Amino acid sequence: MISFSNQVKRELCTTITDGDKAYACLYGMLLFARQLRQDEIVLQSESDAFSTLMPRLFRRVFGDRVQPRMESSEHGMLYTLSVSDPEQVHTVLELYHITLPERPLQMTNVVTNSLGAFTAGAFLSCGSMTDPNKEYHLEFALPCVQLEEPLSQILLAIGVNAKTVLRKGMPVVYLKNSEQIEDLLTFMGAQQGTIDFINVEILKNVRNKANRISNCDMANINKVMLAAERQIRDILLIDERMGLDALPPDLQQMALLRLDNPELSLKELGELLDPPIGRSGVNHRLRRLQELADSLRTSS
């Protein structure tokens, strides 16, 4: 079963539809590539859409000047694109003005309407997200510390305030706020991914609310039962010491009604009386029975 992260990446691969987006997306993928050296470029992904997108991007941007090699693992679980010819690597680095090892971000490579495609390229290279059914978490595991600041600034420009943590000495820029993850998915072009994410969030909220209501109902039921047990003990003590016939009619009626209906709430008990009385009236009568039972206990 394809993961939620790979579903998003598969969708992103379908959104790179024009020359500006292709140029910006490829720049994002190269700049955030795990392996980018003077003699070799290696890009890897678990997304099958990656294997068709990458050769297309290279042809669109470089024509025949750069000829990457695409390989897949034995079971097709990992796709690798590599450029190992030094002259072709130089062509790539020169066109995008990429200097190593610092990798400074050159915003001249990204026109305004392609910033989302550039960010999508970065996500395709080093990003991932957890299934929202489990938790809300999207991250960029960066290949070098110099990229943390420019990526955070790009995200901040669209209202996404990311956090950073070090993992094995390298920065990981991450989001855990559901609304900000939705904003970023939309910004990168994953419209369906955003919709699917929101649907999961809605379903989780409904389930959580239902659980809270259920827990509240159970707590109320337990409260009613504990109160009824105490009231029945009082009534049985009164019956033993003086007999229920000795009670005033209103208290005798209430005592017998409680003994016959231990599961009912005060409101439900009041509705059975003739004439019916409210919850406060029932509570008043039961409190009088409790006070009588307490006086019998202290006098014994």
Side-chain angles (χ1 to χ4, degrees), residues 70-99:
M70 176 65 67
E71 298 175 342
S72 63
S73 59
E74 182 179 351
H75 301 291
M77 300 298 291
L78 183 65
Y79 301 89
T80 302
L81 179 141
S82 61
V83 180
S84 54
D85 179 275
E87 291 187 6
Q88 294 184 17
V89 173
H90 177 74
T91 298
V92 173
L93 299 179
E94 185 178 44
L95 178 68
Y96 281 114
H97 307 288
I98 298 175
T99 56

Side-chain angles (χ1 to χ4, degrees), residues 4-46:
F4 192 90
S5 185
N6 277 342
Q7 286 180 16
V8 169
K9 289 186 176 182
R10 179 179 289 182
E11 182 183 3
L12 291 177
C13 287
T14 67
T15 63
I16 311 304
T17 54
D18 61 43
D20 287 341
K21 288 182 178 180
Y23 191 90
C25 180
L26 183 55
Y27 179 48
M29 297 183 76
L30 290 167
L31 196 64
F32 288 82
R34 184 64 51 193
Q35 188 169 329
L36 183 64
R37 304 196 309 259
Q38 297 286 356
D39 60 345
E40 188 176 34
I41 297 170
V42 178
L43 295 164
Q44 290 183 320
S45 176
E46 296 178 356

Side-chain angles (χ1 to χ4, degrees), residues 6-215:
N6 277 342
Q7 286 180 16
V8 169
K9 289 186 176 182
R10 179 179 289 182
E11 182 183 3
L12 291 177
C13 287
T14 67
T15 63
I16 311 304
T17 54
D18 61 43
D20 287 341
K21 288 182 178 180
Y23 191 90
C25 180
L26 183 55
Y27 179 48
M29 297 183 76
L30 290 167
L31 196 64
F32 288 82
R34 184 64 51 193
Q35 188 169 329
L36 183 64
R37 304 196 309 259
Q38 297 286 356
D39 60 345
E40 188 176 34
I41 297 170
V42 178
L43 295 164
Q44 290 183 320
S45 176
E46 296 178 356
S47 172
D48 55 350
F50 172 90
S51 63
T52 56
L53 173 68
M54 288 308 299
R56 179 165 60 87
L57 292 182
F58 269 90
R59 282 195 304 270
R60 184 131 193 190
V61 175
F62 294 101
D64 295 331
R65 290 181 297 160
V66 178
Q67 299 178 350
R69 183 173 65 254
M70 176 65 67
E71 298 175 342
S72 63
S73 59
E74 182 179 351
H75 301 291
M77 300 298 291
L78 183 65
Y79 301 89
T80 302
L81 179 141
S82 61
V83 180
S84 54
D85 179 275
E87 291 187 6
Q88 294 184 17
V89 173
H90 177 74
T91 298
V92 173
L93 299 179
E94 185 178 44
L95 178 68
Y96 281 114
H97 307 288
I98 298 175
T99 56
L100 299 176
E102 295 83 6
R103 305 192 195 189
L105 174 60
Q106 303 289 345
M107 289 305 296
T108 54
N109 288 322
V110 185
V111 296
T112 304
N113 64 345
S114 297
L115 189 56
F118 167 80
T119 311
F123 183 76
L124 289 169
S125 257
C126 67
S128 64
M129 64 181 300
T130 305
D131 185 340
N133 285 292
K134 298 177 182 178
E135 66 171 327
Y136 303 141
H137 182 91
L138 184 150
E139 70 175 40
F140 297 82
L142 304 184
C144 63
V145 296
Q146 290 87 349
L147 290 173
E148 186 272 328
E149 179 65 20
L151 177 61
S152 296
Q153 290 300 316
I154 288 174
L155 298 181
L156 194 59
I158 62 170
V160 174
N161 188 12
K163 299 184 182 298
T164 303
V165 65
L166 289 180
R167 184 186 298 158
K168 297 181 179 179
M170 299 304 292
V172 176
V173 175
Y174 69 93
L175 307 173
K176 286 188 174 295
N177 179 281
S178 60
E179 291 186 5
Q180 293 194 353
I181 292 175
E182 293 161 13
D183 289 343
L184 179 55
L185 290 176
T186 301
F187 176 68
M188 292 191 300
Q191 309 294 340
Q192 187 59 49
T194 304
I195 293 171
D196 293 341
F197 188 95
I198 292 173
N199 286 338
V200 170
E201 184 181 17
I202 291 172
L203 184 59
K204 286 177 70 174
N205 288 339
V206 170
R207 286 174 177 168
N208 290 339
K209 185 175 182 180
N211 287 336
R212 286 196 298 271
I213 292 173
S214 177
N215 292 337

